[in-house]
Amino acid sequence: GAVVSQHPSWVICKSGTSVKIECRSLDFQATTMFWYRQFPKQSLMLMATSNEGSKATYEQGVEKDKFLINHASLTLSTLTVTSAHPEDSSFYICSAEQGAKNIQYFGAGTRLSVL
Amino acid sequence: DAKTTQPTSMDCAEGRAANLPCNHSTISGNEYVYWYRQIHSQGPQYIIHGLKNNETNEMASLIITEDRKSSTLILPHATLRDTAVYYCIVRRDSWGKFQFGAGTQVVVTP
């Protein structure tokens, strides 16, 4: 299947700092990418839909000013967690839609720990 | 998008076929059925998807009932590496977003 690369795979940061997570589609172009968050022993929760060249669409309850999404090219979307706090510690996962196949491919995830 | 109902957990013997059921009784005509799995601490892996016809690939088979209200994912020869949470998701067309449910925790035992 197609490859979606997510970086970093894990990050530890201090409370109040910002963290950027990158999501790249390596062998296809993705007009649409998605960002999810997963807490321990829970399912994935969709945070936002990222569209290349336009503003992201956030799910209800997700603060757009805290979780900044940029999708500047057809192969890269970034999620920046601004002023991170311990409650933002979670597993963040991105996916990219391969339109020709109607399939979303997922990255390996980023584990964020905020101290 | 239609919601899905899956059993919370299933055990399966290594080498045997694993049949994973999914109910999606409110599915509409243009909604596809997708199956993904998530091995612990990894991103979900695509398995298979279909609209109304049965589908087969190198990983699994997808059987969709004629009324499309339920489907079954079949792993023909389960291995220990198939232990994972399996998610059945329905979504509209090719650009809709996925809403993940709780999935089925499948444990394959020797």
Side-chain angles (χ1 to χ4, degrees), chain B residues 5 7-8 11 16 18 24-25 31-32 41 43 46 54-55 60 65 69 72 81 84-85 92 94:
Chain B
T5 304
T8 304
D11 290 337
R16 297 290 187 105
H24 30 80
S25 58
E31 288 182 316
Y32 289 74
S41 295
Y46 167 79
N54 297 337
E55 302 287 345
T65 58
K69 293 185 177 182
T72 301
R81 288 178 293 181
V85 178
R92 182 167 39 91
S94 59

Side-chain angles (χ1 to χ4, degrees), chain A residues 32 34 36 38 42-44 46 49 59 91 93 97 99 101-109 111, chain B residues 32 34 36 38 41-46 49 87 91 93-103:
Chain A
T32 305
F34 300 87
Y36 297 81
Q38 186 175 33
Q42 294 186 21
S43 187
L44 284 77
L46 180 65
T49 303
E59 295 298 298
F91 191 49
I93 309 169
E97 181 78 36
K101 294 186 176 182
N102 294 350
I103 297 172
Q104 269 188 44
Y105 292 100
F106 285 79
R111 190 160 301 283
Chain B
Y32 289 74
Y34 285 79
Y36 283 79
Q38 186 179 26
S41 295
Q42 297 182 24
Q45 177 189 21
Y46 167 79
H49 76 284
Y87 296 101
R91 76 162 183 178
D93 299 325
S94 59
W95 301 108
K97 52 192 179 183
F98 282 150
Q99 298 287 1
F100 282 79

Side-chain angles (χ1 to χ4, degrees), chain A residues 22-80:
Chain A
E22 292 188 348
C23 180
R24 294 180 185 273
S25 55
L26 297 187
D27 50 1
F28 65 98
Q29 293 184 328
T31 306
T32 305
M33 292 185 174
F34 300 87
W35 288 95
Y36 297 81
R37 180 167 54 181
Q38 186 175 33
F39 292 107
K41 297 187 191 261
Q42 294 186 21
S43 187
L44 284 77
M45 289 178 49
L46 180 65
M47 299 175 66
T49 303
S50 169
N51 297 298
E52 188 266 336
S54 64
K55 291 184 179 180
T57 303
Y58 291 82
E59 295 298 298
Q60 192 171 9
V62 178
E63 300 175 60
K64 62 181 180 182
D65 294 330
K66 180 166 185 65
F67 298 100
L68 301 180
I69 291 172
N70 184 280
H71 192 160
S73 79
L74 288 172
T75 59
L76 174 64
S77 176
T78 61
L79 169 70
T80 301

